[in-house]
Amino acid sequence: MDSDALNTFLVVHRRGGISQAAKALHRSQPAISRRIALLEQELGVPLFERIAGKTRLSDAGRVMVPYAERAVAAAQDAENAVRALSRNNSGPVALAVTGTLAGARLSTVLKRFARQYPDVALTLRTATSAEVSDLIRRGEATIGLRYDRDRSRELDCELLFAEPLRVVCAPEHKLAGRRIRRLAELRDERWIAFPEVPGRREITASHVFALFLTHGLGEIAWTPVDSLTAQKRLVEAGLGIALLSESNAAEELRAGTIATIHVGDLSATHEVVAVTRHGGFLSAASRRLLDIVRADFTKARSAGKR
């Protein structure tokens, strides 16, 4: 059983079939089918089933996935470690970031890194927090930035910054710039928030609802919007209010296109964490990128305490 066979198995699983995997791996369908057949023959069990015309994992296949992911990631670590001996401060670095963290602070980090390591091929992917962890776990990304800690033992999570959340509204809103005593006073407002997608839970999608539940306020009226930019445009238009992090709302607050409602009994934050694979290989360039991320977010944390 080699890493190529395991990687082929994983691609068939993730792409949902032989033909899609063949396209992704730039191989013929018969070659992919043969590779899977040899792996199944070696294991003595089928890894996939055809159900209603679709390729699904068998029970054995479901058991196989996490082990295959670890083996493929370890093989990639070995290759990266050997290559790093002859290509110091070069080579690829893959960064995965929760979409709402891909703002001005990240731009500053990436510019600084690019100046120091012009020969490094840096790639950036955006995803939900759960997907960021999956990318790190599978070895498809080197460093991840997400909200809240992942409790998986396969990952190392480092708290970078607990960023305050603010209630924002249109400047014309009757409560714009004012202070209210309790969150309950906003119960009848229409809220704008990220949708909760089954199987792809995003931390930010749950904050608004969790806050109202913990305050004993029950259900609220809300509009699901899966784009941060679209959320802010709707708030600016007076079509609802939202709970946003300070950095995500900073530009609009400076421009005066949105305003803040100060809520006396509201104390909410997003924990921003850096994620790496436990025991995984980090090149010199990867370690330096992580150092720059730490320094920048530590600076933001210090500024927030003043």
Side-chain angles (χ1 to χ4, degrees), residues 13-137:
H13 161 51
R14 292 168 188 157
R15 297 284 177 161
I18 298 293
S19 61
Q20 294 89 339
K23 292 177 183 177
L25 294 171
H26 306 290
R27 299 179 188 172
S28 67
Q29 292 187 36
I32 298 297
S33 296
R34 179 61 177 165
R35 206 75 178 94
I36 295 300
L38 288 173
L39 182 59
E40 291 177 328
Q41 181 179 339
E42 183 178 354
L43 293 169
V45 291
L47 297 172
F48 295 98
E49 300 172 342
R50 294 287 294 177
I51 301 176
K54 297 182 179 180
T55 302
R56 306 287 190 190
L57 288 171
S58 67
D59 289 343
R62 282 190 287 273
V63 170
M64 184 76 167
V65 167
Y67 295 98
E69 289 178 342
R70 286 196 288 270
V72 170
Q76 186 63 56
D77 279 345
E79 180 181 345
N80 290 340
V82 172
R83 291 184 184 278
L85 294 175
S86 59
R87 297 190 307 179
N88 191 31
N89 298 341
S90 64
V93 175
L95 179 64
V97 181
T98 297
T100 49
L101 288 174
R105 182 174 295 136
L106 183 63
S107 295
T108 301
V109 167
L110 297 182
K111 286 179 183 178
R112 184 178 171 191
F113 179 78
R115 285 196 300 268
Q116 295 184 19
Y117 291 87
D119 296 328
V120 170
L122 176 65
T123 59
L124 174 67
R125 294 177 65 173
T126 58
T128 66
S129 291
E131 289 166 344
V132 166
S133 288
D134 287 341
L135 290 169
I136 298 297
R137 189 179 293 108

